[in-house]
Every structure is written in C-alpha cells, then in structure tokens.
Amino acid sequence: MSEEKENIQFQLTDELIDKVELLVEQGNDTELQKLLVEFHYADIAEILDELNLDQAVYVIKLLDSETTSDILKELDEGIREKVLRSLSTKEIAEEVEELDSDDAADIIAELPEERQQAVIEQIEDEEHKAEITELLTYDEDSAGGLMAKELVKVYETWTVAGCMRRIRGQAEEVTRVHSVYVVNKEEKLIGRLSLKDLIVAKNEKKIADIVKVNVDYVNVNENVEEVAKIMAKYDLEAIPVVDDNKTLLGRITIDDIVDVMKEEAEKDYQLAAGITSDVEADDSILELTKARLPWLLIGMFGGIGAASIINGFSDAMLKFPALLMFIPLIQATAGNVGVQSSAIVVQGLTNNTVDGKILSRLLKEFFLGLVNGLAIAAIVLVISHFVFETSYLESLTICVALITVIIMAALIGTFVPIFLDKRGIDAAVATGPFITTSNDVFGIFIYFLIAKMILQF
Amino acid sequence: MSEEKENIQFQLTDELIDKVELLVEQGNDTELQKLLVEFHYADIAEILDELNLDQAVYVIKLLDSETTSDILKELDEGIREKVLRSLSTKEIAEEVEELDSDDAADIIAELPEERQQAVIEQIEDEEHKAEITELLTYDEDSAGGLMAKELVKVYETWTVAGCMRRIRGQAEEVTRVHSVYVVNKEEKLIGRLSLKDLIVAKNEKKIADIVKVNVDYVNVNENVEEVAKIMAKYDLEAIPVVDDNKTLLGRITIDDIVDVMKEEAEKDYQLAAGITSDVEADDSILELTKARLPWLLIGMFGGIGAASIINGFSDAMLKFPALLMFIPLIQATAGNVGVQSSAIVVQGLTNNTVDGKILSRLLKEFFLGLVNGLAIAAIVLVISHFVFETSYLESLTICVALITVIIMAALIGTFVPIFLDKRGIDAAVATGPFITTSNDVFGIFIYFLIAKMILQF
C-alpha cells in the first residue's frame, strides 16, 4: 500500500527532479519505476508539480493506476487540470475507479461539463458510479460536498459476532475505519461504535446493548466551515452525515477538514494582505496581477482622495509647511491601528469569541486607542518640537491629531468587520488595504480639520 | 462517556448563562447537574469561560472529576490558570488522574514550579505519574511535548489471536485506537497495524506476517510545525514518536495537530496585522496595548523618518507644491505592494512552495511590479494632469516615481522574508507594518530623488 511508504526522509531536491527528468527523456521506464516506487504518492505529486506537462503525463501513464489515482488527488490543482486534459475520459474513469467516492467526485467536478458525463459513464463499478453521481449533486461548500460514501454500517439488531463478520466484508473497501455507524431498519442513524468497543465486547452481545447513542452528526447541507468548527471543537476524527430524516448518507474524516482549515486560513491571510483571489507564489504574472491590482487600485483612489484633501488646504499648507512633514506619520499610524483592530475582530468573529455586544467593544477600543495615542503623541511631541522645531501650536496640532486619528482608526477597524459580519459578508475583506486606505484618507482629513481649528486658518 | 454527548444543537445563549449563574447563586446543585449533564464537556467549558471565577470553581467542584478534567482541558487558558489557583494540589492531582498523559502534562506544566511537584507526588497511579514526569521533560514545541504515552503496542512475535487478547486489555485505557504499533523485543518500532487489518486477518497468523513496515514516524525532538506538515501531507491520523534508537516512546494524534495548525495560522495572521504577542479580542486593554504598541512605535519612527526626508527637501517643495499632494499616494501604494509581495512569499515559505531560487523570483516580481506600476501610473497621469492640473514635468515625476516605487516595494517585500527565512528567522514578522513602514520611508525618498532629477531642483 502506497500509504505505508517511508517518507520522513523525503527531500524534494533539484538533483532528484533533474534525475527524474533525465530518465523521462531517456524513456528509461524500468529505472524510473524503480526510483519512484520508493516514494509516497504525495511525494511523487510534489515531483510532478515541478515537471513540465509532457513529463508529468509520461510518469502518470507509466505508473499503475492505484498509485496514479492517489497522485492525481494530491497534484497542484492547476497542474492536475492540465494533466486531466491530456488523459482520455476512459483513462480518467480508470483513475477515478481507484479513488474513494469523495476524491473521485472532486476530480470529476473539476472537468468541463461535457467530459464529466463521459467519464462517469465509463466507470465500471455500478455502486461506485451511483455514489459519485450522488456526491456531484451536493454544493462543494456543504457537508455533502466533502463527505465520502465509504463507511462501515451495522444494524442495531445484529450481534457483536455477526457484526465482526460483516465488518470484515465492508472494511475491505473502506480505507480507514474510524467508527462503525449503527442504523435501524429504516437506515436512520441511531449511534456509533468504535472498533475498540467491538473488540472489547462479548461476541454474543447485541449491538443495541453496546451502541453509543447521542452521537455527533451533521446535516448534509451544513456549511463545511461549520463542520470544521464542530470537529475541531469536539476533537472528532470522523463525523456521520445525515439528511433531514437523519438517514445516514456518508461520513467526513478529519483529514479532509484539515485541508479545509488550511484553505480558510490562507484565504483570510491573503485578504488581510490585499490579495483577492487565491494565488500562489508560483502562479503566472497575469494571475498574480489579477489578484493584486484590484486592491492597489483601491489604494490608488485613496491616494487621489488624500491628494485632493491636501489640495483643498493648499494655501494653509504654505503658511504652515511644518504640518506637511507629518502627513506620512498621521497616515501610517492610522493605517497600522486600523489593521490591528480589524484583524483582532476578524479573528474573534472566526472563533466566535466576538459576540454581538458592539458598544462595549467600541468603548474598549476607544480606551485602547487613547492609551496608544497618548504614548505615541508624547514621543512625537518631544521629537517634533526639538528636532523639527515646530511651534507650540503646530506641535499641539500634530499630537491632538495623532490621538484623534488613532482612536478613530481603532473604532473604524472594529466597527466595519462586525458590521459586515452582521450583513452576512465575510469580514476578512475588511482588513488590510481596505481599512488602511479608508483610514489613510480619513486620517489626513481629520489632521487638517484639527489644524484648521487650532491654527485658525 | 461525555465524549458521546449530543452537541450539534448547542448554542451559547445569554439566557443559558443567566440560568447557570442563577442556579449557582441559589446553590441549586441538583438542577444545575441536571442541566449540565446534558452538555458535552467542550460546551460546559464555553459556559464556564463566561462565568466569574467563583461561579466557575463552584461548577467544577460540583461535577464529577471525569467530566471536570475534560472541561479543564478545554477552558480558555487564562481562566484555567485562575481556576487551578483556587484548587488544592490534591484536587488538581485528582483531575489530572483522569486525563491522558499529554493533557495531564500540559495542565501541570501551566502550574507554578513549586505546585507542579506537589501535584505530581499526589498522583496515585504510579505508571501515569511516571509518564507525566517523562512528558514534562520535553520541549513544548517538540513532538515529545505533544505526544501521549497511551498507545496500543504489540510484539512482532505474537499471533493475531493473542494480539486481540492483549489489545482488549491495553485498549481499555486508550481513548482512541488509531493504530496498533508493532515493536520487536528491544521495543524498537518496526511497523503498524490498523484494527481493521487485525479484524480482517486470520487468528493463527503471526503479527510479523501482516505488519506494515516502513511506517511513518517522527523523532521525539522534531518540531511540532514539522510534525503538523508531515501529518497533513500524508493524511495521517496518528503518528508514532521514537527516540534516536527508534524506540517507541508515544504517539501524536491529529486532533492535537489541528490545534497546532490553528495556533500557527492565527499567529501568522496577527504578525501580518502588526500584533506581536498572541492576544484575543477579549483580553485586557493592557495586554492588547502590549501586543499592539510595539508595531505602532515602529510605524511612528517610520513617519518621523519620512518627516525628515520631506524636511530635507522643503525648499524644493515650496517651488513645486503639487508634488506634496501625491506623497500619500506614493506612500500608500508602496505599503500595499510590499504587503502583497511579502504575504505571498511568507505563505509560499510556510507551504514549502517557495524554493531557494531568489533571483528568478525577484525577476518575476520585477515584471509584476512593472505591469501593476504601468497600469496605475497611466490612471494617475490622466487624473493628476486634468484634475490637479499638474505640469507635464510634475506629472512625469509622479508616474516615474510610482512605477519605481512599486517595483522597489515588490522586490523588498519578496527579498526580506526569503532573507529572514534563510537566516532561520520566522519570515512572518516581515509582513504587515514592518514592510509597510520601511516601504513608506523608502518610497517617499525615491519620490523626491526622482523629482530632483526630473525637475532639476
């Protein structure tokens, strides 16, 4: 079983890649197989990610479909798409034949509409075909879209001994047996058993007597992020998926949830950094531009906005040039505070630690801003006065503006994400450039207002 | 078993908390028990997180230690610390008695030095005591610090039947049996078996004949992040931990890894947002200030730096006031580009998708910056000329500066994280305010240099 390959020592070195490329060029199949058979399929996938398409396809076609199906599953999505395009629907059907229903459905879902049907039709195992067809009907962000049909199911009326016999049968096609799910004759989920429980129990016992009822389960339409939260909170390794009648439909395993969590974390991280769509360092310049330019444009319009504000106060500026020097300081501080506040709130929302109480939270941010503002203003006061020799009124203006801007930025950074979240919008978009830009413009505007008041221009 | 409590319907409502608080005030123990016995321990922990210390302790002392030990494990760290302080070492020892060795060790590790020993001495189960004492010797960021001693171990010389008998014994004290680990008579790990394999195998078979060799394992000193990567990459649910002689020491389960991954993601997210230490929205203003002020100060010094640059060019500024208007634009753009570039690289480094090839990556960022820069400069050119009626030379200055700044920011944002990573420093610190600030100052400086060249002042 590829799953059992040694892999801790695996290192994706340039030498290794060169070696594989060379063997492919030479068409030295025996050597290539001898080399690759040593590796775990996840490692082979990493190697293929580095090869060009022809080389990758060559390797795929060389290896046995049990291994290649697992490799396909692990390939970088962009590369998998290319590889699948250069495989016939028959070949894809053979790969899919080897995979668990959930992985099979995921791969077929990536194919263009017209090919999907062709592939499904060529799947020989009728049960597998039916399972995949069912899974394709669920939303990919729902429990149904993540679950696998493979599970071990027993009926409450069975005995432990009979149960063990049946499990020997069913277990063959289930990669990992976390739990044995117990259903009644209407196929409704009534509980679970761990293999441990079965092994420990007496053979003649009835399942109904040892089953653990009140088992965790999720509805097939539950959102995957919610499923992830539940499994993480209750330390579950697998959770059964049921329909509205509590009929057992499938199960979700923790390894799928781990992937969901990673994607979520990366998405939020990128949003906070002002990257819209999910991109990787290795994507094309076009893809990266598409992901990055939008936020840069927003930042640009913010800058234009700031320009017109300064323009509006230009004559005053000529009277108090010293004020201009501190525009970058005001701007940077406003941006930083806003990002900090929003990030903490966004994280709180994701972990459900931020509840509805907006007012108390805003009050807290107010004091937080006041403390930080006073600290920074004090330092700036000294520096501006002694280093830049600004007049008392100018120094006063700068400090009052700093404190006000910091407080406003903290409040905006806190309010906007909570507001968006209440509107059902992903609050993560409200971090990074979005909050920075709005705070930049806002901060500069406040700066000049305060200057106007104190310096009376 | 509390693990089996129904929980999908659980909602932490204010009503529920009020109800619990009321029952505690009334000292209505029977009602309180009747209410709480329905909940999963993770849910009870969420409730206690909302109560005040006395109330929480009251509930802890009311419930049976099997449940409370699980609750303690799930409590918010700050609150757990307070609760433990108000429990006697004897009471803590009783709680710890109920937990798996890894959770037990984690809780004891949180206690002040002097209490740790007192608690350990009062643990009655000698084996459990020895295991905890061993676990306390490992670094908390190492595999040893994360592993549990509880596992099911069999010897290669046994038969399947004998194996099953022994497992019935060992399995009792192991919460979840993922794999049965096979060792030789020197206790060295030689492979694993899933319970499924055992159930499917014939009784008279020797373990040595059905054991899966080449099993994944990690060294006890391996860093937890590395362990997390391995388990996520190879979809493992448990991994055995060995010493340098490959002697089996313990096992790490995926649910612990899930927690590690969550913490990692949150840490990086906060660093990107300029928050140094791990804080939550509900922490005190002091804690939040400690986490936020450092980056704000760095930003402040950046602002001061920008101020002195502007100051240095002040007379030129009076000749070309139009240039001043665009300082915020230059600054914001530089910051945004830098954050984007660094975020992508940092993520690439975490996922090992960014390899050593610095030069090719910098070249790519150069072209990426050029594309983005030209796009933005084009728009700004039009706006600055027609809206702000800047002279041709001024417009030219602004656009050339924008393009240059964007390219420089992209290069810095890419280079710095890779550089830090090569030095063994967590690249995540190089995102957010760090890169923004340096790019702010740098950007403004470049802006004036280019202005000087083009406008000849």
Side-chain angles (χ1 to χ4, degrees), chain B residues 296-323:
Chain B
L296 294 183
L297 288 174
I298 290 176
M300 183 202 73
F301 286 114
I304 299 291
S308 35
I309 294 174
I310 299 177
N311 195 25
F313 289 93
S314 52
D315 40 354
M317 290 299 99
L318 297 175
K319 264 198 267 142
F320 304 97
L323 292 182

PDB file of all heavy atoms in Angstrom, chain B residues 296-323:
ATOM      1  N   LEU B 296       3.183  49.946  16.419  1.00  0.00           N
ATOM      2  CA  LEU B 296       2.803  51.343  16.202  1.00  0.00           C
ATOM      3  C   LEU B 296       4.026  52.248  16.367  1.00  0.00           C
ATOM      4  O   LEU B 296       4.197  53.213  15.643  1.00  0.00           O
ATOM      5  CB  LEU B 296       1.703  51.750  17.186  1.00  0.00           C
ATOM      6  CG  LEU B 296       0.358  51.038  16.988  1.00  0.00           C
ATOM      7  CD1 LEU B 296      -0.673  51.576  17.964  1.00  0.00           C
ATOM      8  CD2 LEU B 296      -0.121  51.218  15.562  1.00  0.00           C
ATOM      9  N   LEU B 297       4.884  51.893  17.315  1.00  0.00           N
ATOM     10  CA  LEU B 297       6.095  52.702  17.523  1.00  0.00           C
ATOM     11  C   LEU B 297       7.002  52.605  16.296  1.00  0.00           C
ATOM     12  O   LEU B 297       7.530  53.609  15.818  1.00  0.00           O
ATOM     13  CB  LEU B 297       6.830  52.233  18.786  1.00  0.00           C
ATOM     14  CG  LEU B 297       6.129  52.596  20.096  1.00  0.00           C
ATOM     15  CD1 LEU B 297       6.841  51.961  21.278  1.00  0.00           C
ATOM     16  CD2 LEU B 297       6.079  54.113  20.260  1.00  0.00           C
ATOM     17  N   ILE B 298       7.142  51.397  15.766  1.00  0.00           N
ATOM     18  CA  ILE B 298       7.957  51.247  14.552  1.00  0.00           C
ATOM     19  C   ILE B 298       7.378  52.112  13.440  1.00  0.00           C
ATOM     20  O   ILE B 298       8.080  52.880  12.778  1.00  0.00           O
ATOM     21  CB  ILE B 298       8.000  49.771  14.120  1.00  0.00           C
ATOM     22  CG1 ILE B 298       8.824  48.960  15.117  1.00  0.00           C
ATOM     23  CG2 ILE B 298       8.582  49.634  12.710  1.00  0.00           C
ATOM     24  CD1 ILE B 298       8.858  47.480  14.832  1.00  0.00           C
ATOM     25  N   GLY B 299       6.052  52.053  13.300  1.00  0.00           N
ATOM     26  CA  GLY B 299       5.412  52.891  12.294  1.00  0.00           C
ATOM     27  C   GLY B 299       5.667  54.365  12.564  1.00  0.00           C
ATOM     28  O   GLY B 299       5.890  55.147  11.643  1.00  0.00           O
ATOM     29  N   MET B 300       5.667  54.702  13.847  1.00  0.00           N
ATOM     30  CA  MET B 300       5.891  56.109  14.210  1.00  0.00           C
ATOM     31  C   MET B 300       7.281  56.578  13.777  1.00  0.00           C
ATOM     32  O   MET B 300       7.431  57.605  13.135  1.00  0.00           O
ATOM     33  CB  MET B 300       5.743  56.294  15.716  1.00  0.00           C
ATOM     34  CG  MET B 300       5.889  57.728  16.176  1.00  0.00           C
ATOM     35  SD  MET B 300       6.322  57.817  17.904  1.00  0.00           S
ATOM     36  CE  MET B 300       8.025  57.290  17.838  1.00  0.00           C
ATOM     37  N   PHE B 301       8.268  55.755  14.068  1.00  0.00           N
ATOM     38  CA  PHE B 301       9.627  56.160  13.689  1.00  0.00           C
ATOM     39  C   PHE B 301       9.744  56.239  12.167  1.00  0.00           C
ATOM     40  O   PHE B 301      10.425  57.109  11.627  1.00  0.00           O
ATOM     41  CB  PHE B 301      10.662  55.203  14.288  1.00  0.00           C
ATOM     42  CG  PHE B 301      10.847  55.419  15.760  1.00  0.00           C
ATOM     43  CD1 PHE B 301      10.486  54.442  16.685  1.00  0.00           C
ATOM     44  CD2 PHE B 301      11.349  56.628  16.233  1.00  0.00           C
ATOM     45  CE1 PHE B 301      10.636  54.665  18.044  1.00  0.00           C
ATOM     46  CE2 PHE B 301      11.504  56.853  17.592  1.00  0.00           C
ATOM     47  CZ  PHE B 301      11.141  55.866  18.499  1.00  0.00           C
ATOM     48  N   GLY B 302       9.007  55.360  11.481  1.00  0.00           N
ATOM     49  CA  GLY B 302       8.963  55.474  10.025  1.00  0.00           C
ATOM     50  C   GLY B 302       8.416  56.830   9.622  1.00  0.00           C
ATOM     51  O   GLY B 302       8.985  57.519   8.767  1.00  0.00           O
ATOM     52  N   GLY B 303       7.337  57.233  10.283  1.00  0.00           N
ATOM     53  CA  GLY B 303       6.723  58.523   9.982  1.00  0.00           C
ATOM     54  C   GLY B 303       7.678  59.668  10.251  1.00  0.00           C
ATOM     55  O   GLY B 303       7.783  60.617   9.471  1.00  0.00           O
ATOM     56  N   ILE B 304       8.407  59.569  11.362  1.00  0.00           N
ATOM     57  CA  ILE B 304       9.393  60.603  11.699  1.00  0.00           C
ATOM     58  C   ILE B 304      10.460  60.642  10.599  1.00  0.00           C
ATOM     59  O   ILE B 304      10.857  61.713  10.117  1.00  0.00           O
ATOM     60  CB  ILE B 304      10.070  60.288  13.058  1.00  0.00           C
ATOM     61  CG1 ILE B 304       9.023  60.259  14.177  1.00  0.00           C
ATOM     62  CG2 ILE B 304      11.156  61.305  13.345  1.00  0.00           C
ATOM     63  CD1 ILE B 304       8.427  61.589  14.522  1.00  0.00           C
ATOM     64  N   GLY B 305      10.872  59.442  10.169  1.00  0.00           N
ATOM     65  CA  GLY B 305      11.866  59.373   9.086  1.00  0.00           C
ATOM     66  C   GLY B 305      11.354  60.081   7.852  1.00  0.00           C
ATOM     67  O   GLY B 305      12.045  60.937   7.278  1.00  0.00           O
ATOM     68  N   ALA B 306      10.104  59.773   7.490  1.00  0.00           N
ATOM     69  CA  ALA B 306       9.511  60.428   6.310  1.00  0.00           C
ATOM     70  C   ALA B 306       9.507  61.935   6.497  1.00  0.00           C
ATOM     71  O   ALA B 306       9.832  62.691   5.576  1.00  0.00           O
ATOM     72  CB  ALA B 306       8.094  59.915   6.105  1.00  0.00           C
ATOM     73  N   ALA B 307       9.174  62.361   7.735  1.00  0.00           N
ATOM     74  CA  ALA B 307       9.115  63.801   8.015  1.00  0.00           C
ATOM     75  C   ALA B 307      10.466  64.455   7.736  1.00  0.00           C
ATOM     76  O   ALA B 307      10.550  65.498   7.092  1.00  0.00           O
ATOM     77  CB  ALA B 307       8.708  64.019   9.463  1.00  0.00           C
ATOM     78  N   SER B 308      11.543  63.797   8.195  1.00  0.00           N
ATOM     79  CA  SER B 308      12.851  64.434   7.999  1.00  0.00           C
ATOM     80  C   SER B 308      13.244  64.431   6.519  1.00  0.00           C
ATOM     81  O   SER B 308      13.913  65.353   6.052  1.00  0.00           O
ATOM     82  CB  SER B 308      13.921  63.755   8.858  1.00  0.00           C
ATOM     83  OG  SER B 308      13.659  62.380   8.955  1.00  0.00           O
ATOM     84  N   ILE B 309      12.805  63.422   5.772  1.00  0.00           N
ATOM     85  CA  ILE B 309      13.078  63.441   4.329  1.00  0.00           C
ATOM     86  C   ILE B 309      12.401  64.653   3.701  1.00  0.00           C
ATOM     87  O   ILE B 309      13.026  65.461   3.016  1.00  0.00           O
ATOM     88  CB  ILE B 309      12.565  62.143   3.664  1.00  0.00           C
ATOM     89  CG1 ILE B 309      13.365  60.943   4.154  1.00  0.00           C
ATOM     90  CG2 ILE B 309      12.658  62.260   2.148  1.00  0.00           C
ATOM     91  CD1 ILE B 309      12.841  59.612   3.663  1.00  0.00           C
ATOM     92  N   ILE B 310      11.099  64.797   3.990  1.00  0.00           N
ATOM     93  CA  ILE B 310      10.369  65.938   3.437  1.00  0.00           C
ATOM     94  C   ILE B 310      11.042  67.240   3.870  1.00  0.00           C
ATOM     95  O   ILE B 310      11.258  68.150   3.075  1.00  0.00           O
ATOM     96  CB  ILE B 310       8.904  65.927   3.922  1.00  0.00           C
ATOM     97  CG1 ILE B 310       8.212  64.644   3.458  1.00  0.00           C
ATOM     98  CG2 ILE B 310       8.152  67.146   3.414  1.00  0.00           C
ATOM     99  CD1 ILE B 310       6.799  64.490   3.939  1.00  0.00           C
ATOM    100  N   ASN B 311      11.426  67.272   5.141  1.00  0.00           N
ATOM    101  CA  ASN B 311      12.083  68.459   5.678  1.00  0.00           C
ATOM    102  C   ASN B 311      13.329  68.786   4.869  1.00  0.00           C
ATOM    103  O   ASN B 311      13.592  69.944   4.530  1.00  0.00           O
ATOM    104  CB  ASN B 311      12.442  68.214   7.149  1.00  0.00           C
ATOM    105  CG  ASN B 311      12.795  69.508   7.859  1.00  0.00           C
ATOM    106  OD1 ASN B 311      12.345  70.583   7.445  1.00  0.00           O
ATOM    107  ND2 ASN B 311      13.605  69.423   8.901  1.00  0.00           N
ATOM    108  N   GLY B 312      14.063  67.731   4.522  1.00  0.00           N
ATOM    109  CA  GLY B 312      15.296  67.928   3.769  1.00  0.00           C
ATOM    110  C   GLY B 312      15.049  68.547   2.401  1.00  0.00           C
ATOM    111  O   GLY B 312      15.891  69.275   1.873  1.00  0.00           O
ATOM    112  N   PHE B 313      13.888  68.256   1.840  1.00  0.00           N
ATOM    113  CA  PHE B 313      13.589  68.793   0.506  1.00  0.00           C
ATOM    114  C   PHE B 313      12.627  69.985   0.589  1.00  0.00           C
ATOM    115  O   PHE B 313      12.013  70.353  -0.412  1.00  0.00           O
ATOM    116  CB  PHE B 313      12.941  67.701  -0.356  1.00  0.00           C
ATOM    117  CG  PHE B 313      13.890  66.609  -0.768  1.00  0.00           C
ATOM    118  CD1 PHE B 313      14.021  65.452  -0.015  1.00  0.00           C
ATOM    119  CD2 PHE B 313      14.663  66.752  -1.916  1.00  0.00           C
ATOM    120  CE1 PHE B 313      14.892  64.453  -0.402  1.00  0.00           C
ATOM    121  CE2 PHE B 313      15.532  65.750  -2.303  1.00  0.00           C
ATOM    122  CZ  PHE B 313      15.649  64.599  -1.544  1.00  0.00           C
ATOM    123  N   SER B 314      12.504  70.594   1.780  1.00  0.00           N
ATOM    124  CA  SER B 314      11.401  71.549   1.990  1.00  0.00           C
ATOM    125  C   SER B 314      11.422  72.712   0.992  1.00  0.00           C
ATOM    126  O   SER B 314      10.381  73.072   0.449  1.00  0.00           O
ATOM    127  CB  SER B 314      11.441  72.088   3.423  1.00  0.00           C
ATOM    128  OG  SER B 314      12.751  72.575   3.684  1.00  0.00           O
ATOM    129  N   ASP B 315      12.605  73.276   0.714  1.00  0.00           N
ATOM    130  CA  ASP B 315      12.582  74.435  -0.188  1.00  0.00           C
ATOM    131  C   ASP B 315      12.110  74.034  -1.583  1.00  0.00           C
ATOM    132  O   ASP B 315      11.341  74.738  -2.228  1.00  0.00           O
ATOM    133  CB  ASP B 315      13.970  75.098  -0.257  1.00  0.00           C
ATOM    134  CG  ASP B 315      15.077  74.062  -0.275  1.00  0.00           C
ATOM    135  OD1 ASP B 315      14.732  72.878  -0.114  1.00  0.00           O
ATOM    136  OD2 ASP B 315      16.246  74.418  -0.436  1.00  0.00           O
ATOM    137  N   ALA B 316      12.527  72.839  -2.016  1.00  0.00           N
ATOM    138  CA  ALA B 316      12.055  72.370  -3.324  1.00  0.00           C
ATOM    139  C   ALA B 316      10.541  72.232  -3.313  1.00  0.00           C
ATOM    140  O   ALA B 316       9.845  72.588  -4.263  1.00  0.00           O
ATOM    141  CB  ALA B 316      12.697  71.032  -3.663  1.00  0.00           C
ATOM    142  N   MET B 317      10.035  71.739  -2.163  1.00  0.00           N
ATOM    143  CA  MET B 317       8.588  71.540  -2.038  1.00  0.00           C
ATOM    144  C   MET B 317       7.829  72.843  -2.235  1.00  0.00           C
ATOM    145  O   MET B 317       6.754  72.882  -2.817  1.00  0.00           O
ATOM    146  CB  MET B 317       8.262  70.979  -0.650  1.00  0.00           C
ATOM    147  CG  MET B 317       8.727  69.555  -0.451  1.00  0.00           C
ATOM    148  SD  MET B 317       7.921  68.449  -1.627  1.00  0.00           S
ATOM    149  CE  MET B 317       9.200  68.311  -2.866  1.00  0.00           C
ATOM    150  N   LEU B 318       8.434  73.928  -1.739  1.00  0.00           N
ATOM    151  CA  LEU B 318       7.735  75.208  -1.849  1.00  0.00           C
ATOM    152  C   LEU B 318       7.697  75.643  -3.310  1.00  0.00           C
ATOM    153  O   LEU B 318       6.802  76.349  -3.746  1.00  0.00           O
ATOM    154  CB  LEU B 318       8.431  76.248  -0.978  1.00  0.00           C
ATOM    155  CG  LEU B 318       8.390  75.902   0.519  1.00  0.00           C
ATOM    156  CD1 LEU B 318       9.193  76.901   1.343  1.00  0.00           C
ATOM    157  CD2 LEU B 318       6.944  75.862   0.993  1.00  0.00           C
ATOM    158  N   LYS B 319       8.688  75.158  -4.095  1.00  0.00           N
ATOM    159  CA  LYS B 319       8.692  75.509  -5.521  1.00  0.00           C
ATOM    160  C   LYS B 319       7.673  74.652  -6.282  1.00  0.00           C
ATOM    161  O   LYS B 319       7.039  75.104  -7.224  1.00  0.00           O
ATOM    162  CB  LYS B 319      10.104  75.320  -6.113  1.00  0.00           C
ATOM    163  CG  LYS B 319      10.922  76.629  -6.152  1.00  0.00           C
ATOM    164  CD  LYS B 319      12.100  76.508  -7.109  1.00  0.00           C
ATOM    165  CE  LYS B 319      13.324  76.057  -6.334  1.00  0.00           C
ATOM    166  NZ  LYS B 319      14.163  75.120  -7.057  1.00  0.00           N
ATOM    167  N   PHE B 320       7.542  73.401  -5.874  1.00  0.00           N
ATOM    168  CA  PHE B 320       6.607  72.502  -6.576  1.00  0.00           C
ATOM    169  C   PHE B 320       5.575  71.918  -5.598  1.00  0.00           C
ATOM    170  O   PHE B 320       5.586  70.720  -5.329  1.00  0.00           O
ATOM    171  CB  PHE B 320       7.368  71.365  -7.254  1.00  0.00           C
ATOM    172  CG  PHE B 320       8.440  71.848  -8.198  1.00  0.00           C
ATOM    173  CD1 PHE B 320       9.754  71.921  -7.782  1.00  0.00           C
ATOM    174  CD2 PHE B 320       8.110  72.224  -9.496  1.00  0.00           C
ATOM    175  CE1 PHE B 320      10.739  72.371  -8.655  1.00  0.00           C
ATOM    176  CE2 PHE B 320       9.096  72.672 -10.358  1.00  0.00           C
ATOM    177  CZ  PHE B 320      10.421  72.754  -9.940  1.00  0.00           C
ATOM    178  N   PRO B 321       4.713  72.758  -5.040  1.00  0.00           N
ATOM    179  CA  PRO B 321       3.759  72.272  -4.036  1.00  0.00           C
ATOM    180  C   PRO B 321       2.915  71.105  -4.538  1.00  0.00           C
ATOM    181  O   PRO B 321       2.510  70.231  -3.762  1.00  0.00           O
ATOM    182  CB  PRO B 321       2.887  73.501  -3.746  1.00  0.00           C
ATOM    183  CG  PRO B 321       3.089  74.406  -4.917  1.00  0.00           C
ATOM    184  CD  PRO B 321       4.480  74.153  -5.391  1.00  0.00           C
ATOM    185  N   ALA B 322       2.691  71.049  -5.842  1.00  0.00           N
ATOM    186  CA  ALA B 322       1.844  69.975  -6.381  1.00  0.00           C
ATOM    187  C   ALA B 322       2.379  68.598  -5.969  1.00  0.00           C
ATOM    188  O   ALA B 322       1.620  67.668  -5.696  1.00  0.00           O
ATOM    189  CB  ALA B 322       1.772  70.082  -7.894  1.00  0.00           C
ATOM    190  N   LEU B 323       3.705  68.488  -5.905  1.00  0.00           N
ATOM    191  CA  LEU B 323       4.301  67.190  -5.572  1.00  0.00           C
ATOM    192  C   LEU B 323       3.843  66.707  -4.206  1.00  0.00           C
ATOM    193  O   LEU B 323       3.656  65.516  -3.976  1.00  0.00           O
ATOM    194  CB  LEU B 323       5.825  67.304  -5.597  1.00  0.00           C
ATOM    195  CG  LEU B 323       6.461  67.524  -6.972  1.00  0.00           C
ATOM    196  CD1 LEU B 323       7.974  67.567  -6.827  1.00  0.00           C
ATOM    197  CD2 LEU B 323       6.053  66.419  -7.922  1.00  0.00           C
TER     198      LEU B 323
END
